[in-house]
Amino acid sequence: MSTKNVYSFGNKTAEGDGKMRDLLGGKGANLAEMNLIGIPVPPGFTITTEMCNEYYRIGQDAVVQLIKPEVEAAMKQVEDAVAGPKFGDNTNPLLVSVRSGARASMPGMMDTILNLGLNDAAVETLAAKSGNPRFAWDSYRRFVQMYGDVVLGMKPVSKEDEDPFEVIIHKAKHDKGIVNDTDLTTEDLRELVVKFKAAVKENTGKDFPTDPWEQLWGAVMAVFDSWMNERAILYRKLNKIPAEWGTAVNVQAMVFGNMGNNSATGVAFTRDASTGEDLFNGEYLINAQGEDVVAGIRTPQQITIEGSRRWAALQNISEDVRKEQYPSLEEAMPAAYAELNEIQQKLENHSADMQDIEFTIQDGKLWLLQTRNGKRTGAAMVRIANEMLKEGMIDEKTALLRIEPQKLDELLHPIFDPKAVKSAKVMAKGLPASPGAATGRIVFFADDAEEWAEKREKVILVRIETSPEDLRGMHVAQGILTARGGMTSHAAVVARGMGKCCVSGAGEIKIDYKARTITMRGTTYNEGDWISLNGSTGDVYDGKVNTKDAEVSGDFAEIMTLADKYTKMDVRTNADTPNDARVARGFGAKGIGLCRTEHMFFEGVRIKAMREMILSKDEAGRREALKKLLPMQRGDFEGIFEAMDGFGVTIRLLDPPLHEFVPHQLATQKELATEMGLTLDEVVAACNSLEEFNPMLGHRGCRLGNTYPEITEMQARAIIEAALNVQEKGIDVHPEIMVPLVGVIEELKLQAQIINETAEKVFAERGKRIAYKIGTMIEVPRAAVTAGKIAEVAEFFSFGTNDLTQMTFGYSRDDAGKFLKVYQDLGILKNDPFEVLDQEGVGGLMRQAVAGGRATKPELKVGICGEHGGEPSSVEFCHTLGMNYVSCSPFRVPIARIAAAQAAVR
Ligand code: ADP
Ligand code: MG
Ligand code: MG
């Protein structure tokens, strides 16, 4: 721990600086830094974040003892800086603000107290000295209110309850028949203070503290306390900010934007936070203080003329009215504006990033109160990084590191109109399984979805959970909502693959398939009613919410090109159709890392042939059915090979348990019986016989291919024939055949033997050859441990981290949703391991597998095709393992490309 616990700043000098975020918090560090680069900032001091931790360790009295001498000395420095007013001197009072400030910005999470130091005597002096009694009493009533709310705990906990002070103000305004706070007279404000103090006495049993030092210590402790309030804890959890960081406390001389019509307060951005346009912009209010601008009490005005004109155009306000009633700061206070404009440029240049700033103008004099890197949308993020690169403000590596990979999602999917979202009614919350915005009419069954879609109806498919049978319904739906299932449930994975909006695992919704209704927060919706899904937040909204198409700007493409310059890993895609392959290629995918063949078996006549194969009593019957499937598979593969001309295509042999393909509804079972000339009982019995207690650990993967070799034979033939066919057309084809779920080398050996024999047969028939590779998924822990042996046969490894996570933890990924959330709350797990790769456990096995595999075969190609292949921290980990590629769903390709480039740059 440092021996210095309080850092002063003011008059363009400072004891701290901008690099001391950890100790001074972001706000404190930047206040110091602004002083150092000559920007006018009211003087003050910062109590370190370490003291927050001390407060929780040794308690209030001990921590006050510890820092009292330093705080008193720092306060003297402030007094020297302002030359005149003294803290606690009622004949010439110095007023201060007490502000929190953690390492990471936590906007609005903790409360600030302004005008501290006022009491009945000081307010009279302030009134006399400023010659503005209204201002003095306005400041006083604000102070009593903030102090009562924040320090004395009178702020209501729930949103429904009203702030006792607001109730009093409301009544006062009502009694006088006025609307705006600014219409309250000095006399009104005086009366308010009396009533406020009475309310304090009534609520707390104590008089409002009059001693400024008592007020100050109370406020400092309240800031420390606020670090552990519910809002702050929740925010930290959502943003993964550790509780150990603590908050600093900034005590700063007040400057007053509420001193009359030559005073103002405002907030501004150095560039447009929503589009990224290089346009200084922001809002201000004359004769106002602190949060007034954002609180929505009065309509704020724009900072620049340009911004003001654009704003007026949107509001249908004429230029004359605009100038008269809502002039920009540039027009209303040109001198202060000119200085502000210069400072904003200076701040942006100095930090080399877009800044979000707070300022106050007191009687014509400008003061800066805060600067920080501004939050921005995905589009703004890309544009700002690219433009700053072109302007020479940042270098290429910095530009790449400025991209938050996940945020690129916003650029790829349709989004809700932000204005529409604000007024939308949230009816339920689920997992943001696949981003995007969807609006449509409720349907409950895949068949209905297709039928409605044919009639050009927009539908949302609502299911308790989805299965492969729902695939076609999902395809035509705008979005998918499920009551069960996690981030890697069937619905989630498939939806992400399709780039389709999906909210999964919305446990609070009640679906009644029979009645065709869904009940959410007490409201029942029928089939055909409109709802909207926000796949980026997990929100389910009532009715239609307007959407707009995502725009992919030129900056986006340029940043992607830059990523390719630095990346060491290729990014492939998981795609099962030529269309998905094309989409992914458009996003920059270099090949297919996983083509799941089973999805090809669900459409129309295919599912019938598939069922016929499954329900056949003997090999001969199966071969008959497989013959029907062969040309269809071959055709699919040809399409995919063509779409991926020049790149590798990894095709995985049949993987899921057969039970997934047979019908579960009586009507369909009857139909099937008729078609196959069987009795209903026979079909039902056959279907039931396929049922497994633990299908995920059952008869699937290469266990199918090894027990029914004719399936592998057919698939190998389809792949090789397709490759030869497209090669004839001049396509550069690189087939890679992947055997799933291998745990024992012999499993792979037998499958490789079938594949090789089949290929030789085809080559002989066609009189032509083609190169192909055989590899395996590493998704069973035993395969990872014995990878050295497996590499004797395998020419490539692809980590199937969904299954590998499932089997390493022993968590069923379809059931884990029930406890994973609790586990994260309890701190047992930091993340959902199906979403963010567990680098220690699962990653440990992967490391072992890469080492083992490459020891046997140094040139072994290694990649990942699980859902983690599109998750940035997991991609970075894959880079450190020295993988050749990651593979992910098409809409995650740009994200993975950036993450891979960032890993290389770091
Ligand atoms: P937050 O972290 O929520 O933004 P701040 O500590 O920045 O909270 O303060 C809230 C508001 O009070 C801001 O508008 C800020 O500019 C204003 N403010 C804070 N300190 C002072 C001060 N010393 N003089 C004038 N205004 C201040
Ligand atoms: Mg602020
Ligand atoms: Mg698998």
Side-chain angles (χ1 to χ4, degrees):
M1 216 173 76
S2 26
T3 47
K4 188 169 173 57
N5 304 313
V6 177
Y7 287 73
S8 293
F9 58 82
N11 266 347
K12 305 185 179 172
T13 63
E15 294 175 339
D17 65 43
K19 288 183 219 69
M20 296 172 70
R21 288 187 85 84
D22 293 3
L23 197 59
L24 303 182
K27 200 180 282 168
N30 285 341
L31 285 169
E33 188 73 17
M34 280 199 285
N35 271 287
L36 294 178
I37 61 170
I39 288 172
V41 173
F45 55 88
T46 305
I47 304 171
T48 65
T49 54
E50 282 179 351
M51 291 304 103
C52 179
N53 293 331
E54 281 302 284
Y55 170 76
Y56 285 105
R57 202 173 65 88
I58 61 179
Q60 171 166 341
D61 293 342
V63 96
V64 171
Q65 283 314 308
L66 183 64
I67 57 178
K68 203 170 176 202
E70 283 181 84
V71 167
E72 284 172 355
M75 190 64 96
K76 271 217 79 43
Q77 283 197 41
V78 177
E79 289 168 356
D80 291 346
V82 297
K86 302 244 178 307
F87 189 70
D89 178 357
N90 290 341
T91 63
N92 191 9
L94 166 66
L95 305 188
V96 296
S97 65
V98 177
R99 323 169 64 184
S100 63
R103 234 190 263 189
S105 102
M106 297 170 63
M109 283 301 121
M110 287 173 291
D111 295 293
T112 293
I113 295 146
L114 302 177
N115 311 325
L116 187 139
L118 280 174
N119 53 38
D120 290 350
V123 71
E124 298 293 358
T125 321
L126 192 65
K129 278 197 163 262
S130 65
N132 187 341
R134 192 189 179 282
F135 145 72
W137 284 93
D138 181 50
S139 302
Y140 194 20
R141 77 94 192 150
R142 286 170 188 265
F143 170 55
V144 177
Q145 179 170 0
M146 280 185 260
Y147 201 89
D149 277 338
V150 180
V151 182
L152 306 177
M154 287 168 66
K155 190 187 191 115
V157 200
S158 105
K159 267 192 193 154
E160 280 81 63
D161 294 331
E162 271 185 291
D163 178 308
F165 302 108
E166 286 300 326
V167 174
I168 296 171
I169 297 179
H170 195 83
K171 185 165 183 308
K173 287 203 279 196
H174 181 83
D175 289 351
K176 297 206 57 182
I178 57 173
V179 188
N180 286 323
D181 285 7
T182 38
D183 294 332
L184 291 165
T185 63
T186 309
E187 220 21 68
D188 297 335
L189 293 165
R190 258 179 202 277
E191 273 169 37
L192 278 183
V193 169
V194 173
K195 286 186 181 143
F196 280 7
K197 289 205 285 187
V200 166
K201 177 94 194 210
E202 191 182 313
N203 264 270
T204 66
K206 285 190 205 128
D207 285 319
F208 190 84
T210 53
D211 173 22
W213 280 103
E214 185 188 342
Q215 293 172 354
L216 181 70
W217 287 115
V220 171
M221 297 308 138
V223 171
F224 286 154
D225 280 331
S226 73
W227 182 249
M228 286 295 171
N229 75 26
E230 250 173 76
R231 264 194 303 168
I233 291 172
L234 185 71
Y235 186 89
R236 283 202 293 275
K237 211 166 114 190
L238 292 175
N239 293 279
K240 305 211 186 314
I241 296 172
E244 308 87 73
W245 283 5
T247 179
V249 184
N250 300 290
V251 178
Q252 191 175 22
M254 282 303 301
V255 287
F256 302 98
N258 57 336
M259 233 185 202
N261 287 339
N262 201 21
S263 299
T265 185
V267 294
F269 291 90
T270 60
R271 300 191 184 210
D272 191 312
S274 123
T275 64
E277 185 181 354
D278 187 3
L279 185 79
F280 178 46
N281 66 97
E283 296 179 331
Y284 80 106
L285 273 177
I286 288 183
N287 198 10
Q289 188 173 61
E291 311 278 59
D292 288 2
V293 176
V294 283
I297 309 170
R298 279 194 272 155
T299 309
Q301 289 152 240
Q302 301 298 306
I303 302 241
T304 63
I305 297 178
E306 167 78 19
S308 183
R309 291 206 173 121
R310 290 191 192 184
W311 170 84
L314 287 173
Q315 310 283 319
N316 268 327
I317 290 171
S318 74
E319 176 65 7
D320 288 345
V321 174
R322 182 196 72 76
K323 265 185 161 160
E324 174 65 30
Q325 290 179 21
Y326 308 99
S328 66
L329 185 71
E330 195 172 354
E331 293 156 302
M333 300 182 178
Y337 169 78
E339 192 185 354
L340 178 66
N341 193 24
E342 216 169 277
I343 288 174
Q344 65 91 8
Q345 199 51 260
K346 188 171 186 175
L347 282 171
E348 188 181 276
N349 290 340
H350 187 70
S351 59
D353 201 353
M354 186 261 272
Q355 295 297 293
D356 166 355
I357 62 189
E358 290 174 3
F359 65 91
T360 282
I361 297 165
Q362 175 178 326
D363 204 15
K365 162 104 183 80
L366 174 70
W367 298 94
L368 269 285
L369 287 158
Q370 190 171 340
T371 190
R372 62 182 162 207
N373 294 341
K375 299 226 184 300
R376 62 204 78 178
T377 64
M381 169 185 76
V382 167
R383 179 165 173 183
I384 291 172
N386 198 37
E387 290 190 349
M388 286 189 166
L389 169 66
K390 286 184 186 163
E391 290 159 24
M393 209 182 258
I394 54 177
D395 60 16
E396 290 183 340
K397 290 182 179 180
T398 310
L400 280 175
L401 293 172
R402 285 280 166 84
I403 307 296
E404 283 174 59
Q406 299 284 25
K407 275 207 145 173
L408 293 177
D409 248 345
E410 297 169 27
L411 298 174
L412 304 170
H413 301 276
I415 52 166
F416 282 119
D417 191 338
K419 274 191 223 120
V421 167
K422 266 194 199 136
S423 52
K425 193 165 160 213
V426 177
M427 298 308 296
K429 225 173 163 39
L431 298 170
S434 179
T439 288
R441 304 175 67 181
I442 298 170
V443 293
F444 296 95
F445 300 96
D447 293 348
D448 295 329
E450 280 186 289
E451 222 167 88
W452 289 48
E454 254 162 49
K455 288 182 268 171
R456 298 187 170 272
E457 289 285 359
K458 291 188 166 183
V459 298
I460 303 269
L461 181 63
V462 178
R463 303 283 304 162
I464 294 174
E465 58 199 342
T466 65
S467 73
E469 278 183 297
D470 296 317
L471 219 66
R472 282 170 302 152
M474 294 170 73
H475 216 98
V476 296
Q478 304 297 309
I480 298 123
L481 169 64
T482 70
R484 277 196 220 137
M487 293 294 285
T488 54
S489 62
H490 179 268
V493 173
V494 174
R496 278 200 292 276
M498 293 175 175
K500 187 142 292 188
C501 169
C502 173
V503 173
S504 70
E508 61 177 301
I509 67 175
K510 297 269 167 306
I511 295 172
D512 185 339
Y513 282 148
K514 267 221 182 94
R516 302 198 173 208
T517 61
I518 163 176
T519 305
M520 301 187 280
R521 303 200 178 163
T523 306
T524 297
Y525 292 78
N526 293 304
E527 184 178 69
D529 288 347
W530 287 85
I531 54 168
S532 301
L533 306 179
N534 190 334
S536 312
T537 61
D539 286 328
V540 181
Y541 305 116
D542 174 70
K544 287 191 209 180
V545 179
N546 287 342
T547 60
K548 53 180 204 178
D549 269 342
E551 288 158 27
V552 179
S553 70
D555 292 299
F556 184 39
E558 287 176 30
I559 287 285
M560 283 299 150
T561 311
L562 190 61
D564 289 345
K565 182 171 164 188
Y566 287 93
T567 198
K568 297 270 187 302
M569 286 189 296
D570 279 339
V571 176
R572 291 188 170 198
T573 191
N574 300 348
D576 311 332
T577 66
N579 189 48
D580 287 353
R582 268 189 295 273
V583 169
R585 195 171 179 154
F587 287 143
K590 294 194 169 138
I592 290 181
L594 174 64
C595 172
R596 304 178 184 89
T597 50
E598 57 269 20
H599 287 172
M600 298 171 178
F601 293 130
F602 281 102
E603 265 162 56
V605 287
R606 300 171 172 211
I607 186 73
K608 284 187 190 151
M610 187 66 187
R611 286 168 174 168
E612 209 181 304
M613 193 272 296
I614 294 168
L615 299 182
S616 294
K617 291 194 190 91
D618 52 18
E619 189 189 324
R622 277 194 296 276
R623 284 193 179 277
E624 228 13 75
L626 284 165
K627 248 190 222 156
K628 293 183 198 166
L629 288 169
L630 174 70
M632 302 175 199
Q633 279 241 294
R634 193 174 52 217
D636 289 336
F637 295 148
E638 285 172 8
I640 288 172
F641 286 147
E642 279 175 35
M644 278 296 165
D645 188 0
F647 291 128
V649 174
T650 305
I651 296 170
R652 178 178 72 183
L653 301 179
L654 191 65
D655 182 59
L658 298 180
H659 186 246
E660 285 191 10
F661 298 94
V662 297
H664 305 294
Q665 279 143 1
L666 199 62
T668 340
Q669 288 176 336
K670 264 185 197 157
E671 221 174 90
L672 185 66
T674 322
E675 270 166 32
M676 290 188 64
L678 299 169
T679 68
L680 177 62
D681 283 349
E682 281 174 311
V683 169
V684 172
C687 292
N688 290 347
S689 76
L690 288 170
E691 220 160 295
E692 295 175 305
F693 283 111
N694 228 328
M696 277 293 177
L697 301 175
H699 195 183
R700 56 175 286 228
C702 68
R703 299 159 204 170
L704 288 172
N706 276 316
T707 48
Y708 304 121
E710 55 278 8
I711 298 179
T712 302
E713 236 174 78
M714 182 281 282
Q715 292 202 290
R717 177 173 278 276
I719 294 168
I720 300 294
E721 287 184 353
L724 288 171
N725 288 349
V726 299
Q727 192 186 35
E728 274 166 21
K729 288 197 224 164
I731 303 283
D732 180 18
V733 57
H734 302 272
E736 302 166 348
I737 301 172
M738 181 156 76
V739 180
L741 223 70
V742 165
V744 182
I745 175 70
E746 277 71 21
E747 290 179 304
L748 179 61
K749 270 191 189 156
L750 281 177
Q751 289 290 287
Q753 193 185 333
I754 297 167
I755 295 166
N756 287 329
E757 281 171 9
T758 307
E760 286 307 324
K761 254 190 229 161
V762 178
F763 295 155
E765 287 162 21
R766 302 281 291 258
K768 249 189 218 140
R769 304 186 67 86
I770 194 162
Y772 63 93
K773 286 198 170 83
I774 298 175
T776 183
M777 301 209 34
I778 303 287
E779 53 186 338
V780 174
R782 194 180 190 286
V785 174
T786 61
K789 260 194 182 169
I790 289 178
E792 287 167 15
V793 177
E795 291 171 279
F796 63 88
F797 282 177
S798 177
F799 287 101
T801 47
N802 298 348
D803 270 310
L804 191 59
T805 299
Q806 174 163 260
M807 290 190 235
T808 302
F809 277 92
Y811 297 163
S812 151
R813 70 194 214 228
D814 294 320
D815 300 310
K818 283 184 199 139
F819 56 83
L820 277 183
K821 251 188 126 59
V822 183
Y823 263 36
Q824 288 172 73
D825 287 346
L826 290 173
I828 295 174
L829 293 175
K830 279 223 171 75
N831 298 297
D832 177 343
F834 291 105
E835 217 180 297
V836 178
L837 188 79
D838 160 47
Q839 299 185 7
E840 189 183 6
V842 178
L845 279 172
M846 290 166 72
R847 189 183 308 263
Q848 188 178 351
V850 174
R854 291 216 171 120
T856 304
K857 207 174 253 174
E859 74 288 359
L860 185 77
K861 191 156 76 167
V862 182
I864 179 176
C865 64
E867 278 299 299
H868 301 101
E871 194 281 316
S873 70
S874 313
V875 172
E876 179 151 7
F877 179 70
C878 292
H879 170 89
T880 63
L881 288 190
M883 287 199 194
N884 302 85
Y885 70 88
V886 298
S887 187
C888 56
S889 40
F891 282 87
R892 281 192 174 185
V893 167
I895 295 169
R897 284 170 69 199
I898 286 287
Q902 290 182 339
V905 165
R906 284 195 187 109

